[in-house]
Amino acid sequence: MTVIPIPPQELPVLENLITVRHKLSALKKDRESSPRSDVIMELYHETEKQVETLASLRSGDIWDPNFRNRLNDVLDDVMSLLSLFFMSLGRNRESPAVYAHLVTVERYLEQLTQMGIYTDTILVEIEERVADVESIINSGHEEVASSFLDLLRKKLLRSKHALNELLAAIRDISPELKPVHNGLVAIRRELATIASRPAGFSSNDIIPFQEKLRQIDKDFHHHHANLPGRAVVEGLLEQLYEETHDLIASSENISIELIPLADRLKEIKAQLERVAFTHRWTLRETDLYTFQLQLQEIEKLRVDGKFKDTEGNVAEGQTVINFLLRGSYRLITKMLSENVPVAEALMPVHNQLSTVRRCLVEVTKYGKPDSPRDLYPYQMKLASIDNMRVNGIFYDEDNNIPEGQAICTALLNECYDILHDLISAIDDDKTV
């Protein structure tokens, strides 16, 4: 890749953005305290100012590939970190918060396009997420500089374009071919699971799938050869044939250059799976930046879309790497979409209330308790949380009002309502 030198007039912007990145990185590493809204907003406004300056220098199009240089990479880092910090503050419905979503969706769509492993359900979920992001960008309920919004909209358009291409391809498939296509996608999912095994796999794990593909191929050409969507199914069949061959070859002898990459990706994916399981209690949104950065660094090693060995040849094991990359991006996308608009300082309260609510719902589901005494632990827990409020408001350690008040208050009230209904049911039984 040709490195474009940074024009002298852009150097001050680069220096200022590097300073912002250093400050954001330092905040990210601080595990002792929650991020403060005023500090993040100050860094956001500084970034906004630099984006305005850069847009004027580049005649409005910051992402023009003809001007892309190191400054773009630094800006991307800053925007990603700011986005995740906005989410940490519970300000999910503000434009700066959507950048991390757009980056992850774009990478995820690239993986889906490359591997062909998608169905209507997967694409509809992404379409809904992209539509939600677009509504946030277009809402205009907060003051955002026009160049900053333009930067987000261009990022959004890239995702929409990639998504629409996939939607057009899959919607061209005739209803008769849908089961065949879905069956091939299911095979690919199983192959991805096998390829991601920490202990590795053998050719015997893959050969049965080759036999399935031959049978599907035979039935397809016998019964469905001339139906709309044939090209999509044929393309997926060919890719799966190629990938099963590659998996068999790599099971015996993955290229030595790709072994460290495969091991690192297995480790990243395993970490993401652990985080996904417990993220409501342990995850700081800014932690996802580290994972995104590692995945992007691995992807930068591609040459013409392939990972190559030291002699410039396509290395054995491409499919293993691609499966692991796709699985990692899917997990990040899932965690970002499940994020609730509650500030990090208020998340312990939100998590406790969510747990109490789940327990009370289970109690309701399986019958009322024998006596009010059985409900005392829930009453005491709700009372302790309620006592944390001052004049009905939850404050953080610095006496600031964190985002997410309405959500936590609604959860608290719902828990009280369920508790009241259970106590009333017990009292009614006593009067009968």
Side-chain angles (χ1 to χ4, degrees):
M1 182 186 295
T2 304
V3 178
I4 300 175
I6 300 173
Q9 63 270 27
E10 290 186 6
L11 286 174
V13 177
L14 175 64
E15 291 167 3
N16 289 329
L17 285 175
I18 288 174
T19 301
V20 172
R21 185 175 66 177
H22 284 330
K23 290 179 179 179
L24 288 169
S25 297
L27 288 170
K28 183 178 78 71
K29 292 173 183 175
D30 180 9
R31 311 291 298 189
E32 301 300 319
S33 59
S34 300
R36 286 172 46 194
S37 180
D38 58 334
V39 174
I40 300 304
M41 290 308 296
E42 182 182 343
L43 292 171
Y44 160 67
H45 288 306
E46 176 60 29
T47 303
E48 199 176 47
K49 188 195 305 180
Q50 300 308 317
V51 168
E52 287 280 326
T53 303
L54 184 59
S56 65
L57 292 172
R58 295 189 181 181
S59 303
D61 192 354
I62 291 174
W63 299 122
D64 186 338
N66 295 318
F67 296 119
R68 185 174 182 89
N69 54 40
R70 185 189 165 211
L71 197 158
N72 288 82
D73 295 330
V74 175
L75 177 60
D76 187 64
D77 289 344
V78 170
M79 294 283 287
S80 294
L81 279 168
L82 275 175
S83 174
L84 294 168
F85 270 114
F86 264 72
M87 292 170 67
S88 292
L89 295 172
R91 303 174 75 156
N92 301 39
R93 306 299 299 178
E94 297 183 25
S95 296
V98 305
Y99 191 82
H101 291 276
L102 289 171
V103 169
T104 308
V105 165
E106 185 180 353
R107 299 282 184 185
Y108 189 31
L109 287 169
E110 285 173 1
Q111 291 295 319
L112 294 178
T113 302
Q114 184 176 32
M115 302 188 70
I117 182 168
Y118 55 87
T119 60
D120 301 69
T121 305
I122 293 172
L123 295 183
V124 167
E125 287 176 1
I126 298 174
E127 187 177 30
E128 290 172 353
R129 183 68 202 130
V130 169
D132 186 45
V133 167
E134 186 170 20
S135 71
I136 293 172
I137 293 174
N138 294 332
S139 62
H141 63 78
E142 75 275 1
E143 294 182 4
V144 179
S146 59
S147 295
F148 198 94
L149 278 176
D150 186 55
L151 183 151
L152 292 174
R153 288 193 179 107
K154 282 186 168 61
K155 201 79 172 170
L156 173 68
L157 285 173
R158 288 169 64 172
S159 294
K160 288 179 70 175
H161 177 71
L163 176 62
N164 288 335
E165 285 189 344
L166 295 182
L167 284 168
I170 204 159
R171 285 170 180 166
D172 283 344
I173 300 174
S174 68
E176 294 89 343
L177 277 182
K178 286 282 185 183
V180 180
H181 181 265
N182 290 340
L184 291 173
V185 171
I187 287 175
R188 180 166 248 164
R189 282 203 193 98
E190 291 183 72
L191 289 172
T193 302
I194 292 171
S196 303
R197 287 177 184 169
F201 57 92
S202 70
S203 58
N204 291 331
D205 295 316
I206 309 299
I207 289 171
F209 291 100
Q210 285 187 318
E211 294 170 358
K212 282 186 187 178
L213 290 173
R214 292 189 190 100
Q215 186 59 48
I216 291 173
D217 199 356
K218 180 181 176 183
D219 294 341
F220 168 70
H221 285 97
H222 185 67
H223 299 290
H224 308 296
N226 297 315
L227 293 172
R230 168 188 173 182
V232 175
V233 174
E234 284 184 334
L236 186 50
L237 262 170
E238 288 175 9
Q239 284 184 349
L240 282 168
Y241 274 132
E242 182 179 333
E243 286 166 4
T244 52
H245 286 304
D246 185 49
L247 286 171
I248 288 172
S250 60
S251 70
E252 306 300 335
N253 185 29
I254 187 171
S255 174
I256 194 168
E257 285 85 356
L258 294 193
I259 290 176
L261 288 185
D263 290 343
R264 183 69 191 117
L265 281 168
K266 286 178 183 179
E267 184 182 339
I268 291 171
K269 187 167 179 288
Q271 290 174 344
L272 284 168
E273 286 169 345
R274 287 194 294 272
V275 170
F277 184 70
T278 61
H279 75 279
R280 286 185 178 85
W281 293 269
T282 61
L283 178 71
R284 297 183 76 169
E285 282 77 6
T286 50
D287 293 339
L288 294 177
Y289 171 75
T290 304
F291 292 111
Q292 287 179 323
L293 202 60
Q294 291 178 77
L295 295 175
Q296 288 170 23
E297 288 300 319
I298 289 173
E299 288 209 81
K300 286 178 182 177
L301 299 175
R302 294 184 196 267
V303 178
D304 299 327
K306 301 287 186 181
F307 295 97
K308 298 190 177 181
D309 60 23
T310 51
E311 297 178 357
N313 301 315
V314 176
E316 294 284 357
Q318 301 287 316
T319 302
V320 174
I321 303 297
N322 288 331
F323 276 139
L324 290 167
L325 276 168
R326 178 197 165 274
S328 298
Y329 278 121
R330 179 182 58 78
L331 287 166
I332 293 175
T333 302
K334 182 175 183 290
M335 282 186 276
L336 286 173
S337 67
E338 290 177 349
N339 181 270
V340 292
V342 174
E344 185 178 302
L346 209 50
M347 280 307 292
V349 172
H350 178 272
N351 292 336
Q352 290 175 60
L353 287 170
S354 297
T355 302
V356 172
R357 181 189 174 278
R358 276 197 300 273
C359 292
L360 288 170
V361 168
E362 289 299 307
V363 171
T364 305
K365 189 186 300 182
Y366 293 107
K368 59 187 176 300
D370 295 327
S371 79
R373 187 178 291 108
D374 296 331
L375 296 173
Y376 284 171
Y378 303 112
Q379 290 175 304
M380 292 172 65
K381 185 62 184 176
L382 291 177
S384 71
I385 294 173
D386 207 350
N387 289 336
M388 295 168 64
R389 297 197 289 177
V390 179
N391 297 325
I393 295 173
F394 293 101
Y395 288 87
D396 64 17
E397 293 176 353
D398 299 316
N399 286 324
N400 297 313
I401 302 175
E403 296 285 336
Q405 300 286 324
I407 290 176
C408 289
T409 301
L411 264 176
L412 180 61
N413 291 337
E414 186 181 0
C415 289
Y416 274 132
D417 289 342
I418 298 171
L419 194 59
H420 176 74
D421 290 342
L422 287 167
I423 293 172
S424 298
I426 296 170
D427 291 341
D428 289 344
D429 277 356
K430 287 181 178 179
T431 58
V432 174

